[in-house]
Amino acid sequence: MLLRSAASALLRTSTEISSFCPVSTVRFVRQLLRYPPRNRPFSTSVCLCKKKKKSLWLQLAEGQTMDGNIEEILAPLRLAVKEQGDLVRQMKQDGVPDVDVTRAVAELKARKRTLEAKELALQPKDDIVDRTKMEDTLKRRFFYDQAFAIYGGVSGLYDFGPVGCALKNNILQAWRKHFIQEEQILEIDCTMLTPEPVLKTSGHVEKFADYMVKDVKNGECFRADHLLKAHLQKLMSDKKCAAEKKAEMEEVVTQMDNYTQQELTDLFVKYNVKSPTTGNDLTPPISFNLMFQTSIGPGGNMPGYLRPETAQGIFLNFKRLLEFNQGKLPFAAAQIGNSFRNEISPRSGLIRVREFTMAEIEHFVDPNEKVHPKFSSVADLDIILYSSKAQTSGQSAQIMRLGDAVEQGVINNSVLGYFIGRIYLYLTKVGIAKDKLRFRQHMDNEMAHYACDCWDAEAKTSYGWIEIVGCADRSCFDLLCHARATKVPLVAEKPLKEPKVVNVVQFEPNKGAIGKAYKKDAKIAMEYLSVCDECFITEQEQLLNESGEFTIETEGKTFKLTKDMVSVKRFQKTLHVEEVVPNVIEPSFGIGRIMYTIFEHTFHIREGDEQRTYFSFPATVAPYKCSVLPLSQNQEFVPFVKELSEAMTKNGVSHKVDDSSGSIGRRYARTDEIGVAFGITIDFDTVNKTPHTATLRDRDSMRQIRAEVSELPVIVRDLANGTLTWAEVESKYPIFEGQETSKKDTVEE
């Protein structure tokens, strides 16, 4: 009865959840009323209340039982996900046709989204950041703003102001220190212009695309699947919409990710979709590649693109990097730089943009030795993991010891596990809240066919859970693709302790037959065949046996090879040195998304004063480490301000002097608003007493200590570097209670 009552209450609030709950799932909830709730330890991925010591979300993740009413609401949604997940697994085991599996997977994703949206909806209002107020602060203090604003602006492009620049640079500097320096990673800097053949090989030219429609009159563009989904949801929300029609449209929404271009065209006609802004007709959907195309050179004969990611430059330089590392595996290379994606409809501020900064690492490792020597240093971290199994079973994320996750096979190997641990430490160091950070594993249907395992670091924001870092075991896909296309072997040599006999599989071309068929191009085809790997050869051999031919593409030419042109040769040979195509572990960081998450997770409003907002950036990444504030514009303070400013500069401490005429409280508020970590105030005690002292204020607690002027730059430097804590400062120096002298007082020195 309790479940039935709770489910009824849920269905009565269908208006509330219509924005994220497909009608098919609501109908499924109705069908589930016959199932009793299961009593089991429960965790949820929302923060249900605020606690200073530990959020309820963390407590729940550790296995405590959630409030019964909430569990009853979520139980049918969890069961819906579990049953669909079981169905998908069974269909795969039974060898059901791919088209049916794809539909079942799409429904599984829809139910997952519904469950997660409901979990997020259960959070209290006070756990959600006041985004309007935060964005007003960001714009007013020029952290960032839309680019070309005085010309009306361009969607998806942003300019960073002085404070935003400083914050971004500090985030990147912390990244360099945390990864490049501490892990001894090789940093490179590659060009952003990329010739077309490179991105054809990587698959970006063919597959990096979305379907788009245009307003026939004003040319306004919309992403086709997003527009169709929004249009159908609007139709379904109409009370006059028949149940049968709703069910039909639910099915369309469920399969949205799987439609071909022609199917989308037919659906736009069937449901009479118009421009949402003008009501005008729309063009049929067309495939729109998300890369910015250009031409290299004045003749325009070399097509190219602005890079959509920084990774390809690292793969192309693998041989040089391997040589630099004395030919030894494992090693890692990294690159920080801008990438470009021509999003059809950029939105959500820094979350979906057209130009963005990435920081990527490619860790090259022997596929047979995926054991990281430093894994023990992160093995004891307790991290919120949302495994593939949990997602398909309707469970929530769970806190898990990283070492246990690797031992139990939840995470594929310790190299991947090590980087997950290091990513967690970095993100929490730069200001992302631990209780709003999780690692979500890609499900089988999400993962690229060549990947062994993949986890996304996701942060909870006012937009829901957003991916901020991807960490994938990409196998050897990229190096093999580029080796095959360029005929340059991208391998490492591994000396063998003892010679070994290995089986060799290679193409055996009939030079005469290929020469007769392709004449001067025959050499290109034979060079390509000579560098193919065993996996590719085996695949093509199967085609050769089944259909008598297979096709290869290289250097812009296509070759159809038949049984009389090529065969497959198998033999054994003795090796003293083994060639290894490394596997790649790839952590990929979206710096703009990390910045936005830090903004949300560190934005606060002073208790008792709604007008006073501030960012509690960690001192490590704060735009300015310290402000220097003379109590007033009295000229006696000037020498001390100058002395402190020079000493700060010598100690490498970024600081901001505010000697304006406002009250000291108002100037504190101004510096707090841009996240300045500490503040030094020069007052009359500084002038009148010896040794000369000044106050040092902590932004978050607003508590102050008093110390000698000569000591303060070093104290701030150590606080900013993380080698000193504010608690340690308070234990060593006297707490400031109030100024003892004034302008009129004279104290003998």
Side-chain angles (χ1 to χ4, degrees):
M1 283 299 294
L2 282 173
L3 172 61
R4 192 175 296 272
S5 300
S8 298
L10 170 62
L11 296 176
R12 282 196 303 271
T13 58
S14 59
T15 303
E16 172 197 340
I17 64 172
S18 62
S19 61
F20 57 79
C21 185
V23 179
S24 60
T25 308
V26 175
R27 188 175 67 250
F28 194 85
V29 172
R30 294 185 190 276
Q31 296 168 358
L32 287 172
L33 294 180
R34 65 184 185 276
Y35 290 101
R38 296 181 301 168
N39 295 320
R40 59 179 172 83
F42 172 74
S43 74
T44 182
S45 55
V46 296
C47 180
L48 296 172
C49 72
K50 288 187 174 180
K51 288 197 176 181
K52 290 183 179 178
K53 292 184 179 178
K54 185 179 290 186
S55 72
L56 176 58
W57 182 59
L58 285 178
Q59 294 177 38
L60 290 167
E62 290 168 347
Q64 295 186 23
T65 305
M66 181 183 256
D67 176 82
N69 292 333
I70 297 171
E71 172 61 5
E72 286 163 10
I73 292 172
L74 292 174
L77 298 178
R78 293 183 184 285
L79 189 55
V81 173
K82 182 181 184 303
E83 291 200 341
Q84 190 67 16
D86 292 342
L87 175 64
V88 169
R89 279 189 287 271
Q90 191 61 49
M91 291 173 76
K92 288 180 177 179
Q93 289 175 12
D94 295 345
V96 171
D98 287 347
V99 63
D100 295 326
V101 174
T102 300
R103 284 182 186 149
V105 167
E107 174 63 17
L108 172 60
K109 286 182 179 179
R111 294 181 184 183
K112 259 186 63 196
R113 285 193 297 268
T114 302
L115 170 61
E116 187 162 282
K118 188 60 184 175
E119 285 182 321
L120 286 169
L122 292 172
Q123 66 184 330
K125 298 295 183 186
D126 61 358
D127 189 52
I128 303 172
V129 70
D130 187 335
R131 195 199 302 161
T132 302
K133 189 167 282 191
M134 183 193 77
E135 290 179 346
D136 173 68
T137 304
L138 291 171
K139 186 171 183 178
R140 185 162 39 80
R141 301 313 301 268
F142 195 16
F143 279 84
Y144 67 90
D145 198 5
Q146 193 171 36
F148 315 108
I150 65 173
Y151 279 86
V154 177
S155 297
L157 298 177
Y158 291 92
D159 294 333
F160 289 92
V163 192
C165 261
L167 177 68
K168 181 180 176 183
N169 288 337
N170 290 342
I171 290 170
L172 290 173
Q173 190 55 40
W175 193 89
R176 275 197 170 91
K177 184 177 185 298
H178 188 83
F179 290 105
I180 292 174
Q181 293 177 21
E182 293 181 21
E183 303 295 336
Q184 298 187 353
I185 293 174
L186 310 178
E187 185 177 7
I188 64 172
D189 185 3
C190 302
T191 175
M192 290 182 280
L193 284 171
T194 309
E196 187 176 58
V198 173
L199 294 168
K200 273 190 174 179
T201 299
S202 67
H204 285 88
V205 171
E206 180 184 354
K207 298 177 181 177
F208 203 67
D210 285 329
Y211 290 117
M212 175 182 73
V213 292
K214 284 185 179 182
D215 185 313
V216 295
K217 292 186 178 178
N218 66 13
E220 187 177 3
C221 298
F222 305 93
R223 184 165 156 176
D225 56 343
H226 289 176
L227 183 56
L228 177 60
K229 182 178 179 180
H231 180 74
L232 293 181
Q233 287 175 336
K234 182 180 178 182
L235 293 178
M236 287 188 289
S237 67
D238 188 343
K239 293 179 181 179
K240 296 179 182 179
C241 184
E244 186 178 335
K245 196 71 175 174
K246 276 186 182 179
E248 176 191 294
M249 288 188 282
E250 290 161 18
E251 181 68 16
V252 173
V253 170
T254 299
Q255 305 300 325
M256 193 65 71
D257 295 338
N258 306 317
Y259 290 122
T260 64
Q261 184 174 355
Q262 186 56 50
E263 287 171 334
L264 277 174
T265 301
D266 295 341
L267 288 166
F268 267 72
V269 172
K270 179 177 180 179
Y271 294 105
N272 194 30
V273 184
K274 304 290 184 181
S275 166
T277 56
T278 65
N280 295 333
D281 289 337
L282 298 166
T283 64
I286 57 171
S287 180
F288 177 74
N289 192 289
L290 298 178
M291 293 189 294
F292 285 96
Q293 190 167 14
T294 185
S295 58
I296 303 170
N301 298 323
M302 183 185 289
Y305 298 89
L306 295 177
R307 65 184 178 193
E309 62 180 26
T310 58
Q312 297 305 317
I314 300 176
F315 296 132
L316 299 182
N317 282 288
F318 170 76
K319 281 194 72 172
R320 301 296 305 275
L321 291 163
L322 181 66
E323 289 170 10
F324 187 87
N325 204 51
Q326 287 85 50
K328 296 176 184 176
L329 288 178
F331 75 90
Q335 181 170 195
I336 298 171
N338 280 13
S339 297
F340 304 84
R341 296 181 186 180
N342 197 9
E343 295 284 352
I344 296 170
S345 51
R347 59 189 185 276
S348 308
L350 295 180
I351 293 174
R352 189 171 294 279
V353 294
R354 287 172 168 149
E355 179 182 1
F356 51 95
T357 302
M358 298 183 76
E360 291 192 287
I361 298 169
E362 307 297 334
H363 181 87
F364 299 99
V365 61
D366 187 327
N368 299 314
E369 297 177 7
K370 288 185 181 178
V371 178
H372 202 288
K374 291 166 64 179
F375 179 68
S376 60
S377 66
V378 299
D380 289 330
L381 289 174
D382 290 322
I383 296 179
I384 300 162
L385 300 179
Y386 195 19
S387 68
S388 172
K389 183 179 178 181
Q391 292 171 68
T392 56
S393 302
Q395 299 170 10
S396 290
Q398 297 282 344
I399 288 184
M400 197 170 189
R401 180 179 169 272
L402 200 53
D404 294 339
V406 172
E407 286 172 17
Q408 295 171 23
V410 177
I411 296 173
N412 186 273
N413 56 76
S414 71
V415 182
L416 185 60
Y418 177 72
F419 277 104
I420 287 174
R422 292 292 290 166
I423 291 166
Y424 171 83
L425 291 172
Y426 168 74
L427 293 176
T428 53
K429 180 193 296 182
V430 297
I432 290 174
K434 292 180 180 181
D435 62 345
K436 295 183 179 180
L437 174 64
R438 73 181 185 189
F439 284 80
R440 187 186 71 83
Q441 186 177 32
H442 283 205
M443 296 189 297
D444 291 343
N445 55 284
E446 291 180 274
M447 215 176 309
H449 66 277
Y450 49 78
C452 301
D453 198 3
C454 184
W455 293 77
D456 289 340
E458 295 184 332
K460 194 178 81 166
T461 71
S462 60
Y463 292 105
W465 289 96
I466 61 168
E467 176 197 348
I468 56 176
V469 183
C471 190
D473 184 333
R474 291 175 61 86
S475 189
C476 55
F477 173 78
D478 301 277
L479 293 179
L480 283 176
C481 282
H482 290 300
R484 194 179 297 136
T486 61
K487 297 178 281 294
V488 175
L490 300 176
V491 297
E493 290 189 346
K494 179 181 173 183
L496 296 172
K497 294 178 181 178
E498 295 180 1
K500 73 173 183 180
V501 177
V502 297
N503 296 318
V504 179
V505 180
Q506 66 183 38
F507 282 122
E508 188 75 8
N510 181 333
K511 295 181 180 178
I514 295 176
K516 183 177 180 181
Y518 293 107
K519 299 182 172 55
K520 63 179 181 180
D521 290 334
K523 184 180 178 182
I524 298 173
M526 287 188 283
E527 284 179 348
Y528 183 92
L529 294 173
S530 69
V531 296
C532 291
D533 60 273
E534 181 178 346
C535 181
F536 180 78
I537 294 170
T538 304
E539 289 175 0
Q540 305 315 308
E541 182 182 29
Q542 186 176 346
L543 285 174
L544 206 59
N545 293 334
E546 291 174 356
S547 59
E549 63 183 33
F550 66 89
T551 302
I552 61 172
E553 291 185 11
T554 179
E555 296 188 16
K557 300 180 185 297
T558 301
F559 300 90
K560 184 181 289 186
L561 301 171
T562 57
K563 283 186 175 181
D564 65 312
M565 295 182 185
V566 65
S567 59
V568 176
K569 182 179 179 183
R570 288 178 167 82
F571 59 94
Q572 292 185 325
K573 70 177 180 180
T574 302
L575 296 178
H576 298 274
V577 176
E578 183 179 26
E579 285 189 344
V580 175
V581 181
N583 278 18
V584 177
I585 311 294
E586 180 189 74
S588 179
F589 297 73
I591 301 302
R593 290 187 170 201
I594 291 172
M595 277 186 75
Y596 181 80
T597 305
I598 293 171
F599 288 141
E600 281 212 8
H601 288 191
T602 62
F603 182 72
H604 304 284
I605 298 170
R606 290 285 183 206
E607 192 172 346
D609 188 348
E610 290 292 313
Q611 300 307 310
R612 289 190 65 178
T613 61
Y614 70 101
F615 289 98
S616 60
F617 302 128
T620 313
V621 298
Y624 299 100
K625 311 307 179 193
C626 189
S627 57
V628 180
L629 310 172
L631 189 63
S632 68
Q633 292 185 313
N634 191 301
Q635 290 303 301
E636 293 178 280
F637 299 145
V638 173
F640 295 99
V641 171
K642 184 179 179 183
E643 176 189 342
L644 273 168
S645 181
E646 290 176 352
M648 291 279 191
T649 302
K650 286 179 183 177
N651 280 278
V653 177
S654 61
H655 61 284
K656 181 176 177 60
V657 175
D658 186 350
D659 54 5
S660 60
S661 59
S663 69
I664 192 68
R666 185 172 295 175
R667 284 181 285 152
Y668 280 150
R670 275 205 298 259
T671 57
D672 289 351
E673 205 169 37
I674 60 173
V676 180
F678 306 101
I680 296 173
T681 304
I682 311 297
D683 58 19
F684 287 105
D685 284 355
T686 309
V687 176
N688 295 333
K689 290 186 174 184
T690 56
H692 299 295
T693 61
T695 66
L696 179 64
R697 173 183 179 270
D698 174 55
R699 173 200 59 215
D700 296 344
S701 67
M702 297 193 293
R703 290 167 64 87
Q704 299 183 57
I705 59 96
R706 194 162 195 105
E708 290 187 26
V709 170
S710 59
E711 292 182 85
L712 287 171
V714 175
I715 295 172
V716 175
R717 181 197 66 194
D718 293 346
L719 283 167
N721 291 340
T723 56
L724 185 65
T725 66
W726 181 254
E728 290 170 333
V729 171
E730 283 198 357
S731 67
K732 185 176 179 182
Y733 295 95
I735 299 296
F736 173 67
E737 301 292 350
Q739 185 180 219
E740 295 178 7
T741 68
S742 67
K743 181 178 180 181
K744 295 178 180 179
D745 295 330
T746 303
V747 179
E748 289 186 9
E749 298 185 1

